[in-house]
Amino acid sequence: MKNTALTDVHIKAGAKMVPFAGYNMPVQYVGINAEHETVRKAVGVFDVSHMGEFILKGDNALDLIQRVTSNDAAKLYDGKVQYSCLPNENGGIVDDLLVYRIDEKTYMLVVNASNIDKDWNWISRYNTKGVDMKNISDRTSLLAIQGPKAAEALQSLTDVDLVSMEYYTFKKGSFAGVDNVLISATGYTGAGGFEIYFDNQYAEQIWEAIFKAGEAFGIKPIGLGARDTLRLEMGFCLYGNDIDDTTSPLEAGLGWVTKFNKEFTNAEALQQQKQTGVSKKLVGFEMIDRGIPRHDYPIVDADGNTIGKVTSGTQSPSLQKAIGMGYVDSAFAKEGTEIFISIRDNKIKAKIVKPPFYK
């Protein structure tokens, strides 16, 4: 099992550690609900250094990205980030990812921890025009500082004007005395904030500086448990749960990152699917009756016929109600439709709602 540069820091801080995507990761420090609340109301820090980072460089870097991703990366400008997918050849998704344009010929791709090798091999297969590819995952640390007080808590550490940064843009600058830190106005919580990328050797220095600067703002370390409840309240997909090699971007509601003004892997089949419509759709739902939906629970109709399955579910700390996402037959995907989650052979009533759950 791999460690991040901060594993010892988490253990000293009393984190409960669990194996996740081949890494030893903190799942919680004081409790998921309290940590969730910290991010929604103040500011929290996630160590997400397990994520993968690839640098693609050269005259044909954009061409390669255009051919392997579903979104239109030609729209990017220096300092802009884009959410996208790597479609496979059978209508499913290899991974979802972020594309950073550093300059006209240099891009950074940020991929899911569990898919680093898979994504690298997949993109390499299409690298037929000599793009220089570097996998910098093992030497790169990544912290997500999330919450409404994130900009205030971090501003004293950098000369980059954090408040004026637009969502899904990034800048490089000095941070906590370290040069060339990439500061990105992105995140996976819906609470606002930043993600910062830097070399492993500075991990403890930067971690300590963040907590010192953020002390007055109630800053706390946050584990992966709260990361999951926060992203689910926003209706953000988690690879391996809500999207995978068998789910199409269109079924998953990711048509907005699937652009048919260019050629990319399996574009023709996906365009056909867009025209004919999909047979199943990823939907959000909230429970009406008591019960917590869990991954793989069957979704049934009033007569008990299986119409889909749950992909993610939890008791929402912010809303104090159970929520979930899952795939259902398209006929049941309309907002307001009554469905039932089969929990231990009991039909528990729920209704389809449009994410985000937390507004």
Side-chain angles (χ1 to χ4, degrees), residues 42-108:
V43 56
V45 185
F46 302 83
D47 177 12
V48 280
S49 305
H50 60 318
M51 299 291 279
E53 295 87 13
F54 307 152
I55 301 292
L56 272 56
K57 207 169 187 168
D59 292 341
N60 295 307
L62 176 61
D63 172 77
L64 174 58
I65 290 164
Q66 288 288 68
R67 286 186 290 120
V68 296
T69 65
S70 62
N71 208 339
D72 184 6
K75 290 192 170 147
L76 289 170
Y77 49 84
D78 294 0
K80 182 68 179 155
V81 191
Q82 183 181 73
Y83 178 66
S84 196
C85 280
L86 296 171
N88 65 23
E89 285 157 352
N90 323 310
I93 299 169
V94 177
D95 203 4
D96 61 338
L97 73 162
L98 294 180
V99 181
Y100 285 69
R101 175 168 148 153
I102 291 162
D103 62 45
E104 197 184 348
K105 295 181 180 180
T106 315
Y107 295 80
M108 179 169 77

Side-chain angles (χ1 to χ4, degrees), residues 40 190 233-234 286 316 318-319 335 353-359:
R40 282 275 177 257
E233 286 184 349
M234 299 312 295
E286 58 184 40
S316 157
S318 302
L319 305 171
E335 209 176 331
V353 296
K354 193 175 187 227
F357 302 95
Y358 178 81
K359 308 229 178 6

Side-chain angles (χ1 to χ4, degrees), residues 15-332:
K16 181 185 175 192
M17 306 296 285
V18 296
F20 182 81
Y23 284 80
N24 189 19
M25 296 297 288
V27 69
Q28 61 181 48
Y29 297 83
V30 295
I32 291 172
N33 287 3
E35 290 169 29
H36 181 109
E37 184 103 330
T38 294
V39 175
R40 282 275 177 257
K41 294 189 171 160
V43 56
V45 185
F46 302 83
D47 177 12
V48 280
S49 305
H50 60 318
M51 299 291 279
E53 295 87 13
F54 307 152
I55 301 292
L56 272 56
K57 207 169 187 168
D59 292 341
N60 295 307
L62 176 61
D63 172 77
L64 174 58
I65 290 164
Q66 288 288 68
R67 286 186 290 120
V68 296
T69 65
S70 62
N71 208 339
D72 184 6
K75 290 192 170 147
L76 289 170
Y77 49 84
D78 294 0
K80 182 68 179 155
V81 191
Q82 183 181 73
Y83 178 66
S84 196
C85 280
L86 296 171
N88 65 23
E89 285 157 352
N90 323 310
I93 299 169
V94 177
D95 203 4
D96 61 338
L97 73 162
L98 294 180
V99 181
Y100 285 69
R101 175 168 148 153
I102 291 162
D103 62 45
E104 197 184 348
K105 295 181 180 180
T106 315
Y107 295 80
M108 179 169 77
L109 308 185
V110 182
V111 303
N112 283 300
S114 53
N115 291 336
I116 293 172
D117 293 341
K118 174 187 166 193
D119 292 358
W120 177 264
N121 294 337
W122 180 262
I123 297 164
S124 299
R125 255 180 68 183
Y126 290 89
N127 186 14
T128 51
K129 298 179 186 175
V131 175
D132 179 32
M133 288 175 58
K134 280 196 175 66
N135 181 353
I136 61 166
S137 308
D138 283 345
R139 61 180 173 87
T140 305
S141 287
L142 169 57
L143 296 179
I145 301 95
Q146 297 283 294
K149 295 184 181 173
E152 285 176 279
L154 299 180
Q155 190 58 75
S156 65
L157 298 174
T158 181
D159 46 8
V160 171
D161 181 4
L162 299 176
V163 175
S164 69
M165 278 182 74
E166 289 177 20
Y167 192 44
Y168 267 66
T169 64
F170 71 93
K171 287 184 176 159
K172 280 191 171 183
S174 168
F175 186 93
V178 178
D179 289 333
N180 206 32
V181 173
L182 191 153
I183 304 165
S184 171
T186 49
Y188 193 49
T189 64
F194 304 89
E195 293 182 299
I196 58 170
Y197 299 81
F198 49 89
D199 199 276
N200 285 345
Q201 64 180 309
Y202 303 113
E204 290 199 27
Q205 176 186 335
I206 287 178
W207 178 271
E208 281 166 23
I210 287 170
F211 279 91
K212 198 172 172 187
E215 200 174 351
F217 302 92
I219 201 164
K220 297 276 192 310
I222 313 291
L224 292 180
R227 184 172 159 88
D228 194 49
T229 55
L230 288 155
R231 69 93 195 169
L232 184 49
E233 286 184 349
M234 299 312 295
F236 294 152
C237 290
L238 173 64
Y239 194 89
N241 279 40
D242 313 298
I243 50 175
D244 59 32
D245 287 299
T246 68
T247 57
S248 111
L250 302 176
E251 292 169 343
L254 297 176
W256 62 282
V257 297
T258 312
K259 303 290 167 60
F260 296 110
N261 60 343
K262 58 164 200 160
E263 281 298 312
F264 62 87
T265 321
N266 209 39
E268 215 171 287
L270 289 171
Q271 189 153 23
Q272 181 68 42
Q273 190 180 64
K274 187 181 180 179
Q275 282 158 2
T276 56
V278 293
S279 60
K280 65 176 183 178
K281 282 184 181 169
L282 183 65
V283 295
F285 61 85
E286 58 184 40
M287 302 303 293
I288 295 168
D289 293 341
R290 275 176 72 93
I292 297 178
R294 299 291 184 202
H295 181 69
D296 274 351
Y297 281 6
I299 302 175
V300 299
D301 65 12
D303 298 323
N305 303 306
T306 300
I307 55 165
K309 71 172 181 177
V310 176
T311 55
S312 289
T314 195
Q315 176 73 14
S316 157
S318 302
L319 305 171
Q320 297 293 302
K321 64 169 88 163
I323 58 171
M325 297 201 297
Y327 285 91
V328 296
D329 297 344
S330 292
F332 294 87

